[in-house]
Amino acid sequence: MPYIPFTDEQKVLANSVDLEQFLRMRGEKLERAGREHKLIYYDGSGKHDSITIHGSTWFDHKNQIGGGAIKFMQEFYDMDFQTAVQELLGHTVTPLSHSPPKVSAKEEKKEFRLPEANTNMHRVYAYLIKQRFIASEIITHFAKQLTLFEDKEHHNAVFVGVDENGVPRQAHKRSTSTFGNSFRQTIEGSDTRYSFAHFGESGKLFVFEAPIDMMSFLTLYPKDWQKHSYIAMNGVYENAVLTALKNHSNLTEIVLCVDNDEGGIEAVDRLRDILSENGYSDVKRLAPKYKDWNEVLKAKNGAAALPAVLHKRKEEYLHQIDSLKHLRCRPDKLTSQIYATFKNGQYKYLAEYALAGSAFFIAGKSEDTTFGKLKTKLKTEYKPYTDKGRKAQKQRNLQDCVQKVLSDLKLTARTREQSVQTAKLLYGLADSAIRMSVEETITAPVQEHIESADIVSEPEPCMEFG
């Protein structure tokens, strides 16, 4: 696309487009979540709802990135800056006749109000016991606490989150119908810092994705359950967990009981990092044998249960790390080999060269042993929630790593500290190259090879297998 000299006014206008309205016009699906909207989308790994939209701003809770409308178009639709601005301005570079309509402050601040309760909970009990196999005494406990009830109008199960004073601040509705698609909705005006929970006296906090998962776990492990604390996040968002920890100083040990699928596997690392940043280091993972704890409960009662789901990207990353062979480093050839393999898109060879170089600069005579340790380090440190960017972004990241390494390798003499820094750069390059290789393996694009004297199709013979 030819360069278009957008004015500052046009850039500001594009970046201030109301994303909720814009995305609906593009046919995207959004669901209200309190004062925000969740973008519902699907890719090769399934359904996702980690992106929240508020006016012209957005935030991806899984990948921990966000920004304005232009950045959203670049990240989510993989557009360059020029295309993103044109798209937001309606395929025209002239100023729009009017600014996108804004939601008024009064409309944004919805008053939180619980739905009217039904006179009985017959449908909720029937659904949770017969369809979900949850123990009646568990249901009764929360019903007596007034954190679970049946709404009068639609007979949904309503799970309530209360604040430190016992005042309802959040609620989540789920249909009890056994026909058609299940209905789930967070009530407007909900404060996401609170969620369906139970707090006991011990120092343990068990964290779940949804109320039914939590109640299923309590049914599976009922002994002295009230001594401990449990909370359902209504997804994989950390707000309610952090608030619970802040308000209950006795909680020091956190057990993540999220789903055993791609979303849950990513959430474990992300939540562990967030908790560590907030001073909580005692974080464990308790994975269900099946997809989630209710599926475990179903299987125990002889019903068909959904199996656990492997994280395809993580499994492929670990597989490719395992397959890396130690190409003994020749530092005089390293620059040309890194450049050539990058230009030719030979990302696995690039990772092998980079990791061999990293081992060389820090290992001395124990290069082979160090290479093995670096492979283990890559596997241990890999977190799939940090590996969800678009292919174009990964390509840019890899190019940046290559440029930094090639610049560093121009040094003719190094101190010990400089050698360690070089090793770190090469290690980062190996990780970035494998991520790119994994992306190509998963998406299996059609490769276009460019003929050039700088491009090789096989590794140079100066690198020998160790």
Side-chain angles (χ1 to χ4, degrees):
M1 173 181 290
Y3 175 76
I4 302 173
F6 293 113
T7 66
D8 289 342
E9 179 186 5
Q10 289 168 334
K11 294 175 186 177
V12 171
L13 185 61
N15 209 38
S16 63
V17 167
D18 189 299
L19 281 173
E20 187 254 314
Q21 294 188 24
F22 180 84
L23 293 174
R24 289 192 190 280
M25 291 176 62
R26 287 182 65 97
E28 299 287 0
K29 181 181 179 182
L30 294 102
E31 292 180 356
R32 182 171 287 279
R35 299 176 183 177
E36 302 174 323
H37 286 83
K38 292 190 296 184
L39 174 64
I40 309 299
Y41 70 97
Y42 296 82
D43 62 15
S45 63
K47 179 180 178 182
H48 300 281
D49 64 351
S50 65
I51 298 176
T52 54
I53 308 291
H54 184 74
S56 63
T57 62
W58 61 280
F59 190 76
D60 186 337
H61 295 263
K62 283 187 177 180
N63 299 320
Q64 295 293 288
I65 58 174
I70 295 175
K71 186 175 180 180
F72 179 88
M73 302 299 284
Q74 291 176 304
E75 293 290 334
F76 190 78
Y77 293 116
D78 203 18
M79 294 181 179
D80 57 34
F81 181 84
Q82 298 279 305
T83 305
V85 173
Q86 276 195 306
E87 188 76 14
L88 290 163
L89 294 179
H91 301 285
T92 176
V93 297
T94 57
L96 299 179
S97 59
H98 61 278
S99 298
K102 299 294 180 181
V103 180
S104 68
K106 289 184 178 179
E107 289 178 327
E108 287 184 356
K109 297 181 180 179
K110 296 287 185 180
E111 179 184 358
F112 174 71
R113 183 176 299 174
L114 288 174
E116 184 179 355
N118 196 29
T119 54
N120 61 63
M121 291 179 58
H122 292 167
R123 294 196 188 184
V124 167
Y125 267 89
Y127 171 72
L128 294 178
I129 294 173
K130 295 180 180 180
Q131 301 298 320
R132 296 294 188 161
F133 302 100
I134 294 173
S136 60
E137 57 270 23
I138 299 297
I139 303 170
T140 299
H141 171 85
F142 291 102
K144 288 181 177 179
Q145 299 297 315
L146 302 181
T147 55
L148 172 60
F149 66 90
E150 180 176 314
D151 80 70
K152 182 177 181 179
E153 184 177 3
H154 299 292
H155 302 283
N156 295 310
V158 182
F159 301 92
V160 182
V162 300
D163 64 16
E164 50 272 20
N165 297 314
V167 178
R169 298 294 185 187
Q170 183 266 5
H172 183 78
K173 295 191 289 188
R174 186 182 181 97
S175 65
T176 56
S177 174
T178 57
F179 301 98
N181 296 326
S182 62
F183 167 81
R184 290 179 290 179
Q185 182 185 62
T186 299
I187 294 177
E188 287 189 336
S190 287
D191 187 336
T192 58
R193 294 176 300 168
Y194 303 97
S195 188
F196 182 71
H198 166 83
F199 296 103
E201 297 179 355
S202 83
K204 281 189 177 182
L205 173 65
F206 295 83
V207 179
F208 301 85
E209 289 192 27
I212 288 179
D213 290 328
M214 174 179 147
M215 297 174 74
S216 299
F217 183 86
L218 299 180
T219 301
L220 289 163
Y221 304 100
K223 185 178 180 181
D224 298 328
W225 72 265
Q226 294 186 41
K227 291 182 179 180
H228 309 301
S229 297
Y230 311 82
I231 191 167
M233 298 181 289
N234 288 326
V236 291
Y237 310 124
E238 67 277 3
N239 281 2
V241 176
L242 295 177
T243 300
L245 291 170
K246 179 181 178 181
N247 292 335
H248 298 84
S249 59
N250 61 304
L251 298 175
T252 57
E253 180 183 349
I254 303 160
V255 185
L256 301 177
C257 305
V258 294
D259 294 359
N260 197 358
D261 59 7
E262 291 199 351
I265 292 169
E266 291 181 10
V268 169
D269 288 327
R270 187 180 67 82
L271 291 170
R272 184 178 280 120
D273 286 348
I274 292 172
L275 290 166
S276 178
E277 291 172 1
N278 284 270
Y280 297 92
S281 58
D282 190 358
V283 181
K284 299 179 176 64
R285 162 71 159 137
L286 184 58
K289 183 179 179 181
Y290 292 84
K291 178 184 176 296
D292 58 45
W293 294 103
N294 190 244
E295 298 301 327
V296 175
L297 192 54
K298 287 180 181 178
K300 183 179 179 180
N301 284 273
L306 295 174
V309 181
L310 292 175
H311 194 292
K312 295 178 182 178
R313 190 179 300 276
K314 181 177 182 178
E315 293 300 314
E316 181 61 28
Y317 181 93
L318 298 179
H319 170 71
Q320 293 207 22
I321 292 295
D322 283 334
S323 68
L324 293 181
K325 294 182 174 63
H326 182 205
L327 302 172
R328 200 166 295 280
C329 182
R330 287 278 297 277
D332 57 322
K333 295 288 186 179
L334 190 55
T335 294
S336 62
Q337 290 161 345
I338 286 175
Y339 176 76
T341 50
F342 170 69
K343 291 289 288 183
N344 200 37
Q346 295 176 294
Y347 303 122
K348 186 178 176 184
Y349 285 135
L350 174 57
E352 288 176 332
Y353 292 146
L355 206 62
S358 183
F360 171 83
F361 280 104
I362 60 175
K365 295 181 179 180
S366 58
E367 185 180 328
D368 189 67
T369 301
T370 303
F371 184 86
K373 290 181 178 179
L374 290 176
K375 285 175 60 174
T376 300
K377 181 178 173 66
L378 282 171
K379 292 172 65 176
T380 303
E381 293 183 343
Y382 177 72
K383 298 172 182 178
Y385 85 87
T386 66
D387 193 17
K388 296 284 284 184
R390 303 293 170 184
K391 184 177 178 180
Q393 182 61 49
K394 291 183 180 181
Q395 183 71 32
R396 291 192 291 268
N397 291 341
L398 179 59
Q399 183 173 345
D400 289 343
C401 288
V402 169
Q403 290 175 344
K404 289 178 182 178
V405 166
L406 294 182
S407 177
D408 181 87
L409 289 177
K410 291 178 181 178
L411 290 174
T412 56
R414 286 179 174 78
T415 64
R416 174 59 181 169
E417 290 75 16
Q418 288 173 325
S419 293
V420 171
Q421 179 61 27
T422 300
K424 288 181 178 179
L425 290 174
L426 286 163
Y427 175 85
L429 174 58
D431 174 58
S432 186
I434 286 295
R435 291 181 185 227
M436 193 65 201
S437 179
V438 168
E439 187 69 26
E440 295 226 319
T441 300
I442 290 176
T443 58
V446 177
Q447 298 294 323
E448 295 182 3
H449 296 282
I450 303 174
E451 297 297 330
S452 170
D454 294 327
I455 297 175
V456 296
S457 58
E458 295 294 336
E460 296 183 24
C462 61
M463 284 292 188
E464 299 176 357
F465 289 103

